Amino acid sequence: MKASWNEILLFTAASAICVNGEAYSPPFYPSPWASGQADWAEAHRKAVAFVSKLTLAEKVNLTTGTGCDHFPQILQGLNLAKNYPAGEKIVVLEELGPFQATNNSAFPAGVNVASTWDRRLAYQRGQAMGAEHRDKGVDIQLGPVAETIKGIQDSGVIAVAKHFIGYEQENLRDTISSNIDDKTLHELYLWPFADAVRAGVGSVMCAYNLVNNSYASQNSYLINKLLKDELGFQGFVMSDWSGQHTGVASALAGLDMTMPGDLYTGSGSSFWGSNLTVSVVNGTVPEWRIDDMAIRIMSAFYKVGRDKAQVPVNFDAWTTDEYSYLHYLVSEGYQQVNSYVDVEGNHKELIRKIGSSSIVLLKNVNNALPLTGSEEFTAIIGEDATANPNGPNSCVDRGCDIGTLAMGWGSGTAEFPYLITPEQAIQNTLTKKGRTTNDYGSAANNYDLSSVESLAAKASVALVFANADSGEAYITIDGNAGDRKNLTLWQNGDVVIQAAAANCKNTIVVLHTVGPVVVTDWYDHPNITAILWAGLPGQESGNGLVDVLYGAVSPGGKSPFTWGKDRASYGASIITESSEAIAQEDFSEGIFIDYRWFDKQGEDPIYEFGFGLSYSDFSYSDLNIKTLHASPYVPTAGKTMAAPSFGEVGTYSDYSFPSGLVPVWDYIYSWVTSADPERASGDPDYGLPNSAYLPVDANDGSAQPLNPAGGSPGGNEGLYEALFQVSATIANTGTVLADEVPQLYISLGGPDDPRVVLRGFDRLTIAPGKQTTWTTTITRRDISNWDPISQNWVVSNYPKTVHVGSSSRNLFLNATLPAVQ
């Protein structure tokens, strides 16, 4: 049932819909069917032609994974690999376990791509990762979060935008409701998914959590209304692994693919599979819905050219042995499973480039950096500089914090082909310059402070390394269950830094962290002359670092988050424990996160969002705004076509398990086992279709009204019209070839708006003494607010101001925008 106007009116800017005091997600049915709009037309046409020839069982086969640790069926043949954040996590319609793909790269994390502020590098990283997945035989890369989609798909692999939506913590991820109001949902959390859809992403993965007390994987408001109706998404929606909670309800709510298919590893049963076949035969799920699922999946397949670029799967995710079981979980199908195809190419060069480009220089007193390499004695201090003595892949799914941190932990990690540590790279650099450093020894022990102090006292420069890690919730490290339990450095890092600084007047700190850490106790120590944040740089960690330390590259990274004075500076915290069956996480801060929150609270950060120093200096001047002649915003009107259906459904006997086929144990099949409706699925727990509750309009395949805020991928096309052209002059007034990142912020002017919001940026390389004119545009969406009453975007009457500068707090240029008619 579509939300009534009374329900819509309940969506205020301050709170989510509440029923009986609890956040509530209104229903929205039917699930919109793909139309092949915009650049999906040809792929949609091919998908329709393909799906129209399939039987019901074959359509269901496309939608349902075969179960964890099983190779896919022949028709199913869509192979999934997860990248979250680093490289080849090869999965064949399955996940969880010791992923052991070899001969692949370990890329920098997404947070490093963010800190480059470089769209070209983001694209190139996506393209390289996509190529590696493609050449391993993978069709679908389970990434990125909301970046690098075009790069991945230009390599011929389907990208997956995730997680939809409100998945903001790992703790309690399966039993927490993210309660988000409509305005916040649109102006903050939906924004990157609109960009992903507009970029042509082939798939969107649901979050584990509930949103307004409805699981994301069966939330009809999120999937049907926001994603498929309003954003016009033409690809397919998949569950995260074991993130599906119902069969019929999730199908009607817009889920198109369930992964890995079984209820839990080795269960041999599924919400879908034969249950979905039964549900279509008995009319609980309409035929057009299963057709739409299959068409969406195959549209994404054709859109990226998988019919032309597909190669055979040539590896196994569960073992590095050449011969093993095709169905690893149940030890069936012994054969060659690994061909050891090397897909790395020259990607190490890109990885090193991203590593150096992503480093953020936070402090540099009296040009302490770059180093010359001629320093009398360089001390390397801290465990984070050196290698894990058991090897970089010795901890399953990187589930430890031993040695230097170059990758977070979890099911999306990659196997390092190698890892260049900071210690190695610095030693190599100094050796080439005829210098040496300390025999690392006890200085690698973060708890041997006397050795740290002694070594620092001898040094002309002390390079001190520290880290802070995080990952996925199924691994806990020192009480950190996925999310960090605090914002301090790990392994006694803060104490090590202070011990070194107390004994060396030229102490340089290098941080490998997943996000902000509290540096209040030591960042302004007079002996700490420089601080660098290096994130999670991947396999070329040390090499990328020395490029910046020794001046081959001027640092150009900008912080992708705010560095507060303490944990309380950030406002709302995650929930780490709850006595409720479903923990209630109210997103009461609304759109005010990170720099927006600090601005609203009048809180001075230590280092603001967008901040980063260079080895050169830059000036900003000549802000110019040109009004473009855009068309007025027109809400979309009209109706869709009626839902198309292909073929006849038939009866249970038409989908009987093929005689003579010996089933694989615990494998999920789409065929039924009996003509008796109660026994057809062969599933004693889920055999009966869930027809007790069918939402009103869920089976309605008639033409539906178009969403006024929709009409094209990403939303109403008028949102993306350029209203203004903005230009500014950026000059390199220093002596070094260097990169600068001009940033454009807009003040929307309303009493409930942030002080400024980022709306544009670019990374420019400028020679010393030279200048360049940076030009960008402002779209209608950039200056719009979401109106919960009209359920559309509006440009308010408040005056709007453009700001251009080098960070969210260093805005050198500003001008008032002309009014928009």
Side-chain angles (χ1 to χ4, degrees), residues 252-520:
L252 298 178
L255 189 69
D256 301 304
M257 180 186 284
T258 174
M259 286 292 119
D262 46 6
L263 297 179
Y264 53 87
T265 302
S267 70
S269 56
S270 174
F271 285 117
W272 283 4
S274 56
N275 275 313
L276 184 54
T277 303
V278 168
S279 296
V280 176
V281 171
N282 68 24
T284 308
V285 173
E287 181 189 3
W288 60 258
R289 177 77 269 266
I290 190 68
D291 287 343
D292 185 59
M293 294 178 188
I295 286 171
R296 286 175 176 275
I297 293 167
M298 294 310 300
S299 291
F301 182 87
Y302 287 120
K303 190 174 191 296
V304 302
R306 291 306 295 156
D307 53 327
K308 303 171 185 175
Q310 214 172 14
V311 299
V313 178
N314 52 59
F315 68 96
D316 191 287
W318 311 98
T319 178
T320 57
D321 295 340
E322 183 178 4
Y323 287 85
S324 186
Y325 294 103
L326 191 64
H327 304 287
Y328 193 82
L329 179 70
V330 294
S331 299
E332 291 191 31
Y334 192 81
Q335 65 178 63
Q336 184 183 17
V337 294
N338 278 305
S339 301
Y340 308 112
V341 175
D342 191 330
V343 298
E344 296 175 67
N346 65 345
H347 296 157
K348 66 179 181 181
E349 297 176 10
L350 173 63
I351 292 169
R352 181 170 182 165
K353 171 68 173 174
I354 295 173
S356 61
S357 297
S358 62
I359 289 174
V360 181
L361 181 60
L362 297 171
K363 181 179 181 180
N364 194 22
V365 178
N366 296 326
N367 298 317
L369 290 177
L371 299 172
T372 65
S374 61
E375 292 78 17
E376 184 175 348
F377 178 60
T378 300
I380 305 174
I381 296 172
E383 182 180 310
D384 181 65
T386 192
N388 183 330
N390 298 314
N393 300 319
S394 59
C395 299
V396 175
D397 295 348
R398 311 297 78 80
C400 63
D401 185 41
I402 303 172
T404 193
L405 179 63
M407 183 188 302
W409 77 75
S411 64
T413 49
E415 297 288 288
F416 284 104
Y418 61 84
L419 174 56
I420 303 298
T421 68
E423 179 198 14
Q424 288 175 283
I426 294 167
Q427 293 273 20
N428 291 341
T429 299
L430 292 177
T431 298
K432 292 175 183 177
K433 294 178 180 291
R435 294 282 180 174
T436 59
T437 183
N438 54 296
D439 177 14
Y440 208 67
S442 58
N445 184 340
N446 282 7
Y447 296 91
D448 185 355
L449 296 180
S450 61
S451 293
V452 169
E453 292 167 349
S454 175
L455 184 61
K458 301 173 185 175
S460 50
V461 57
L463 298 173
V464 186
F465 292 80
N467 67 41
D469 200 0
S470 71
E472 198 172 354
Y474 71 92
I475 296 175
T476 297
I477 301 176
D478 190 26
N480 299 275
D483 302 306
R484 288 181 288 166
K485 60 185 179 182
N486 52 46
L487 294 184
T488 61
L489 291 168
W490 288 25
Q491 309 288 4
N492 211 36
D494 292 294
V495 176
V496 170
I497 291 169
Q498 292 177 80
N503 291 274
C504 178
K505 293 184 178 180
N506 189 16
T507 298
I508 295 171
V509 176
V510 179
L511 301 175
H512 289 111
T513 74
V514 295
V517 291
V518 175
V519 299
T520 303

